[in-house]
Amino acid sequence: MAEEAAFFGDTVPAKLKIPFILRTPHMSAMHHDTSPDLKIVATKLKDILEISNTSLKMRKVIVELCDIFASCGARLSAAGIVGILKKIGRDTVKDGEKQKSVVALNGGLYEH
């Protein structure tokens, strides 16, 4: 988006080219920003990527992107869990059996 749609202007911010600079907790914080002006989003963009003077419209797009990434991550996690359940034969209920499968996850996966 930054390169092809000139989302941040004519030049791509240098920090945006650094792999893994935007960590999951940062994206989670932006995703959960409910302030009217999306102040957390603006702060994260400025502090981490050195992108300042963002419009509210731009910050809303960033929140939407974070939502897309969060949904994708959740689906990938769920697919792995379903794959394991299928492999061990716990994906269907057999006649006459009361079958339970418990899935545990740590706070990082749930929160971020």
Side-chain angles (χ1 to χ4, degrees):
M1 281 179 64
E3 289 177 355
E4 294 182 20
F7 188 70
F8 295 108
D10 294 336
T11 58
V12 176
K15 293 258 183 158
L16 196 57
K17 294 180 180 182
I18 300 171
F20 308 111
I21 192 168
L22 194 60
R23 308 300 295 179
T24 303
H26 305 304
M27 290 181 66
S28 179
M30 291 191 289
H31 179 241
H32 291 98
D33 187 356
T34 57
S35 62
D37 60 349
L38 298 174
K39 186 176 180 177
I40 294 171
V41 175
T43 301
K44 294 290 183 188
L45 290 173
K46 184 178 179 190
D47 293 347
I48 299 164
L49 301 174
E50 297 178 356
I51 300 171
S52 55
N53 301 324
T54 57
S55 67
L56 180 58
K57 184 177 180 181
M58 184 183 289
R59 292 190 299 269
K60 286 182 179 181
V61 170
I62 297 294
V63 170
E64 184 64 28
L65 284 171
C66 291
D67 183 54
I68 290 167
F69 286 123
S71 295
C72 181
R75 288 184 181 115
L76 285 171
S77 296
I81 293 167
V82 169
I84 292 168
L85 291 173
K86 282 181 168 277
K87 181 70 176 172
I88 63 174
R90 302 292 300 250
D91 60 324
T92 57
V93 177
K94 296 174 179 73
D95 289 334
E97 282 187 25
K98 289 187 177 183
Q99 184 178 11
K100 287 186 178 182
S101 296
V102 176
V103 176
L105 51 111
N106 70 11
L109 179 63
Y110 179 77
E111 184 180 349
H112 305 297

